[in-house]
Amino acid sequence: MGYRVGIDLGTTFSVVAYINPETGKPEVVKNKYGESTTPSVLAFNEDGTVLFGQDAKDEKSMGNPNTASFFKRDMGNLDAEVEYWGKVYNPKDLSSILLKKLVGQVEEELQGKIDEVVITVPAYFTNAERSATLQAGIEAGLNVSSIISEPSAAAFAYGINNNDRKTVLIYDLGGGTFDVSIAEISDEDINIIGTAGEHQLGGKDWDAAVVSWIESEFEEEFGCGIEFDLETDACIMELAEKAKKELTTKQSAIIRFSQAGKKGQYELTREVFQDITSYQLGITKKVINDLFQEIAADKKEGFGWNDIDGVILVGGSTKMKMVEEYIMENLHREPLRGVNVDEAVALGAAIKANIDSAGNALPGVVNVLGAKCKSGRNTIVGGKRIHDSIAHSLGMVAENEKGDAYVNSIIIRKNTNIPTEATKTHLLYTSCSMENELEVYLLQGDALNPLECLIAGKYVFHGIEHESGGASIAVTYRYNQNGMIDVEASQHGKRLSMIAEPIPDDMSWLTESPRREKCSEEVDIYLIIDLSYSMKSSVQELKRVIQKFVSELDFSTTRIAMIGVANCVVVLQELTDNVKSFKKVLDSLYDAVENGYAGFGNEAQPFTELYDMAQREGAGRKSVGIILADGIWSEKSVRDSYKYSKLCHDKGIETVALGFGSAEKGFLRGISSLKDLSALRDLNQLTEDFSKIARVVSNGLRG
């Protein structure tokens, strides 16, 4: 059996850990320099080789432009691209290369194969970011058994040395991201009751504040600003990072910087450092306070620092004294000790990689200690059941109750334990689109305004059957243990087919009223059917075509009438939105032809009746007549049809004629205002034409 390892894929440094078979405990695998942490930096050479870790960081510090770092911050953003030696990479590609390098280094060190990996991500990573991380692992050729949130992994690591029942706050400040989680830890379980974070905040931002301070000091001394290029930028960032680290053990740090013969030497005191980075620390304070309020709202009782038994510090940036002082100021005691802040996440991930969902050691995992917990099960040291929680509420774009604005309709609430699933039923208005589709825009966030949330995905569902007044569609979200989201939709229990599509660049339509999107135009359809005796052989097929057509109409905005024409004109069905009533009349169509309800010839024209009905019944509504003919009408009816169809058109009454059999194409187009829709077909081809008409009608007769 090979090794199952945990990988802390960090913004600035990465760490890999495994379970030592001789002790049964997780340990970090050191790199070739004997260090626990490996810089998350890549350097690309012209010959196609790639350096990583400290070797690549050395290249970066010398101003090599072909180096990549801090790409974790853009994970999931496929537009964040860089190019080295003619090849383009996105953050997922860069992470894949780094993962492959890290695992290769570990296999060489352990002299064994890596069978499975658990990769950690910030708790606040979205679906796109988690998916990209998983894909990076797969593209690196790794068997990724799971993705786990960094604070959850740290909670595992804390359990190595402590099984007390505690409610702990996990303060995770890395090089590029910040997470905070509240966990209830017992001897067998880890229950994450709340998570928040800011994944655009980390030690790099403290470094940037120091760089700005150096700039201002330099300009004050010499009266000119610093001229930046790649080499200068790398140099000054390295000086800032070095000074920050010195201030963890010293009261001040000396920074020496020279440019163009101007040599500056500046003393950065801990007090000044804390002052110029107070904004960054303040962000972490706000995130924690907001999380306390969210948990209090969920518990329906107060929640705050008094409810915290201890704080676990995770991430190299928590070594800054200001972080510890902030914790002690609120908790009135020191943070919990026992696990290296740089290693905690990887150690916890290694534990997770070697246990099942119940916290038991996986079959075949070596456990020399044979430790027993109260339940008597074999365990990996630190192994527990984990009940993680969702970091973002999940919703979809929907209409508000008034139907005048788009809102975020939340389906799964933030801080719900995972895995989980939830279903919400939405009404789909089909009057503007007869393509029988539903577009679901996945939102991550709590804001009511969709544009204030992250639009994390677009899913288009097909195969929706028309329902009068709108189709009732159940949308289900499933959030798995990896923090990945599956979206499903069904109609009356029948699962709909789905295609994931790219999110459009322009989502400004979300600021508009849905009524602009949803066609509210009311339409009256007059179905005019040739009832001459020659239609007898075609009636049954024609009924099937018309039934299909009716099923595609939205009767919340549409009414339909049926008119018969032969030697005279008869109204078979007045305007109605009652589908059953209309279909009952349609069922009797054969009798109407056979018994000569309108005679047996072709002497009459229907447009006078159409005109009168539309004028009488259709005030404020759009009217369209659909004429179905199977032959050539008499000379008089043709002449009158041209005359009176034009009268209808002048009054805004649209017409479209469909013919089959011996009908004449020129005549059909002559009596149609919607000439592009008129057609001469075989009878069995009319279904497609009717579907096209249904779409045009539902879109307000546009196009």
Side-chain angles (χ1 to χ4, degrees):
M1 184 193 79
Y3 293 99
R4 294 180 171 93
V5 302
I7 303 176
D8 174 8
L9 185 64
T11 307
T12 52
F13 291 92
S14 294
V15 185
V16 183
Y18 78 119
I19 301 298
N20 187 326
E22 295 182 3
T23 65
K25 290 185 177 182
E27 292 182 12
V28 165
V29 182
K30 294 187 177 182
N31 60 29
K32 66 180 182 180
Y33 294 104
E35 299 290 338
S36 298
T37 61
T38 299
S40 300
V41 185
L42 299 171
F44 294 82
N45 296 321
E46 188 174 7
D47 63 4
T49 58
V50 182
L51 302 177
F52 79 107
Q54 189 61 49
D55 296 336
K57 188 175 182 181
D58 291 342
E59 291 290 319
K60 179 178 174 62
S61 66
M62 291 186 290
N64 185 340
N66 297 301
T67 57
S69 59
F70 295 102
F71 40 85
K72 178 177 175 178
R73 277 191 164 188
D74 291 311
M75 186 66 84
N77 179 8
L78 299 181
D79 294 327
E81 295 180 335
V82 291
E83 183 177 341
Y84 304 114
W85 303 110
K87 188 171 181 179
V88 176
Y89 303 88
N90 59 44
K92 172 180 64 66
D93 301 327
L94 297 172
S95 298
S96 179
I97 295 170
L98 179 58
L99 284 167
K100 190 171 185 178
K101 294 286 187 181
L102 289 169
V103 168
Q105 176 178 261
V106 169
E107 288 184 330
E108 184 175 341
E109 179 66 25
L110 296 180
Q111 293 295 298
K113 190 176 184 307
I114 304 304
D115 285 343
E116 292 185 6
V117 302
V118 167
I119 303 175
T120 66
V121 295
Y124 225 57
F125 254 23
T126 63
N127 184 59
E129 292 161 326
R130 289 171 183 266
S131 297
T133 303
L134 177 61
Q135 192 60 37
I138 294 171
E139 291 179 9
L142 307 178
N143 181 8
V144 184
S145 60
S146 69
I147 301 291
I148 183 174
S149 296
E150 290 164 4
S152 302
F156 273 119
Y158 173 72
I160 296 171
N161 301 314
N162 198 311
N163 280 324
D164 295 342
R165 183 178 295 273
K166 291 181 181 293
T167 297
V168 300
L169 184 150
I170 304 164
Y171 186 104
D172 182 0
L173 183 62
T177 60
F178 171 68
D179 280 321
V180 59
S181 293
I182 309 297
E184 296 173 340
I185 302 178
S186 67
D187 59 347
E188 294 183 6
D189 293 271
I190 299 170
N191 183 28
I192 307 294
I193 63 172
T195 294
E198 173 54 68
H199 71 289
Q200 291 294 326
L201 178 73
K204 180 183 180 182
D205 299 286
W206 270 259
D207 297 343
V210 175
V211 169
S212 296
W213 179 80
I214 297 172
E215 285 184 83
S216 64
E217 292 294 302
F218 188 90
E219 185 172 2
E220 183 177 338
E221 180 177 359
F222 297 106
C224 62
I226 296 172
E227 295 292 331
F228 280 93
D229 54 27
L230 285 173
E231 188 173 350
T232 302
D233 184 58
C235 173
I236 201 168
M237 284 296 290
E238 187 173 351
L239 289 173
E241 182 184 8
K242 182 174 179 289
K244 177 188 69 175
K245 290 180 177 179
E246 285 185 24
L247 291 174
T248 62
T249 57
K250 300 178 181 179
Q251 291 297 320
S252 66
I254 300 299
I255 300 173
R256 296 179 178 86
F257 176 78
S258 62
Q259 186 176 74
K262 301 178 179 67
K263 298 180 180 180
Q265 178 173 305
Y266 312 108
E267 182 180 17
L268 178 63
T269 65
R270 186 180 290 174
E271 183 180 3
V272 171
F273 176 62
Q274 292 181 353
D275 181 58
I276 65 176
T277 59
S278 60
Y279 173 76
Q280 284 80 1
L281 186 67
I283 295 175
T284 75
K285 294 177 181 179
K286 184 180 185 306
V287 170
I288 291 172
N289 290 335
D290 289 347
L291 178 58
F292 285 163
Q293 292 179 19
E294 290 170 2
I295 294 174
D298 291 340
K299 288 177 170 287
K300 296 182 170 52
E301 59 184 39
F303 190 90
W305 283 103
N306 291 336
D307 300 286
I308 302 298
D309 298 314
V311 173
I312 302 172
L313 296 181
V314 181
S317 296
T318 61
K319 295 175 184 177
M320 294 184 293
K321 286 298 181 182
M322 65 175 69
V323 173
E324 184 174 328
E325 289 170 2
Y326 163 61
I327 298 302
M328 292 183 65
E329 177 186 337
N330 290 276
L331 194 63
H332 307 299
R333 54 186 174 276
E334 290 187 351
L336 298 169
R337 307 296 183 183
V339 180
N340 186 311
V341 296
D342 291 322
E343 301 177 357
V345 170
L347 293 172
I351 295 171
K352 179 66 172 68
N354 288 273
I355 61 174
D356 60 20
S357 60
N360 296 311
L362 288 168
V365 173
V366 177
N367 183 9
V368 173
L369 295 185
K372 300 282 185 177
C373 70
K374 291 180 181 179
S375 64
R377 65 192 178 187
N378 288 322
T379 63
I380 294 293
V381 178
K384 300 175 186 288
R385 287 187 296 263
I386 185 163
H387 310 280
D388 214 334
S389 66
I390 178 173
H392 310 267
S393 291
L394 302 179
M396 64 175 282
V397 172
E399 296 180 17
N400 64 2
E401 290 184 3
K402 293 182 179 179
D404 60 0
Y406 290 108
V407 296
N408 173 19
S409 176
I410 293 177
I411 296 178
I412 301 178
R413 288 280 173 190
K414 179 180 180 179
N415 295 329
T416 301
N417 280 135
I418 59 175
T420 186
E421 70 174 73
T423 300
K424 200 166 187 178
T425 301
H426 295 80
L427 189 65
L428 171 63
Y429 295 96
T430 57
S431 59
C432 273
S433 174
M434 293 313 298
E435 297 293 342
N436 296 335
E437 295 180 348
L438 168 65
E439 293 181 347
V440 171
Y441 287 92
L442 169 64
L443 302 176
Q444 291 191 244
D446 293 281
L448 185 64
N449 181 354
L451 290 177
E452 294 178 12
C453 302
L454 173 72
I455 302 174
K458 177 185 178 184
Y459 308 87
V460 182
F461 292 92
H462 305 269
I464 298 171
E465 296 180 5
H466 173 77
E467 294 180 40
S468 180
S472 181
I473 305 298
V475 178
T476 299
Y477 284 179
R478 292 189 178 88
Y479 197 95
N480 66 24
Q481 197 69 52
N482 289 332
M484 315 284 279
I485 305 164
D486 292 321
V487 181
E488 181 183 300
S490 60
Q491 182 180 24
H492 304 307
K494 179 184 177 183
R495 185 171 178 175
L496 302 172
S497 60
M498 182 270 286
I499 297 175
E501 294 187 356
I503 301 168
D505 293 331
D506 183 10
M507 295 293 291
S508 61
W509 54 271
L510 287 173
T511 64
E512 302 174 3
S513 168
R515 290 172 182 165
R516 299 180 189 177
E517 295 293 314
K518 183 176 63 182
C519 178
S520 58
E521 186 174 42
E522 296 178 318
V523 181
D524 290 337
I525 296 175
Y526 299 87
L527 200 58
I528 300 168
I529 301 175
D530 185 344
L531 293 184
S532 61
Y533 197 73
S534 61
M535 282 285 289
K536 185 176 178 180
S537 61
S538 306
V539 168
Q540 296 303 331
E541 180 63 19
L542 189 61
K543 281 170 57 179
R544 184 191 64 78
V545 172
I546 294 173
Q547 285 173 343
K548 179 71 166 56
F549 170 64
V550 170
S551 71
E552 294 178 342
L553 296 175
D554 182 357
F555 282 93
S556 66
T557 56
T558 304
R559 298 185 300 183
I560 191 167
M562 191 186 303
I563 300 171
V565 58
N567 283 342
C568 64
V569 176
V570 294
V571 177
L572 301 174
Q573 171 66 62
E574 297 285 353
L575 283 168
T576 183
D577 58 7
N578 187 317
V579 181
K580 289 184 178 179
S581 174
F582 180 84
K583 287 185 175 180
K584 186 175 181 180
V585 173
L586 183 63
D587 287 340
S588 65
L589 194 61
Y590 183 86
D591 292 338
V593 173
E594 186 174 49
N595 297 324
Y597 282 11
F600 295 100
N602 295 107
E603 299 299 323
Q605 56 80 20
F607 297 99
T608 305
E609 184 65 37
L610 171 62
Y611 180 91
D612 289 343
M613 288 183 70
Q615 293 292 97
R616 183 175 66 249
E617 305 289 345
R621 299 174 68 91
K622 194 70 177 177
S623 298
V624 56
I626 302 174
I627 301 99
L628 283 162
D630 78 327
I632 301 174
W633 294 359
S634 71
E635 184 177 339
K636 181 178 184 304
S637 66
V638 169
R639 186 171 60 250
D640 288 347
S641 291
Y642 283 135
K643 175 181 177 181
Y644 291 109
S645 64
K646 186 177 184 306
L647 179 63
C648 288
H649 303 162
D650 291 343
K651 287 295 183 179
I653 303 169
E654 306 285 4
T655 59
V656 55
L658 298 174
F660 51 95
S662 58
E664 201 272 323
K665 185 175 182 179
F667 170 64
L668 299 175
R669 290 181 59 83
I671 61 176
S672 298
S673 61
L674 303 174
K675 298 185 186 300
D676 289 344
L677 295 178
S678 70
L680 178 62
R681 303 283 194 192
D682 290 334
L683 184 58
N684 59 12
Q685 294 178 313
L686 285 180
T687 299
E688 180 181 342
D689 294 301
F690 264 109
S691 292
K692 190 184 298 182
I693 292 169
R695 289 195 295 272
V696 171
V697 167
S698 297
N699 279 299
L701 300 172
R702 293 187 296 273

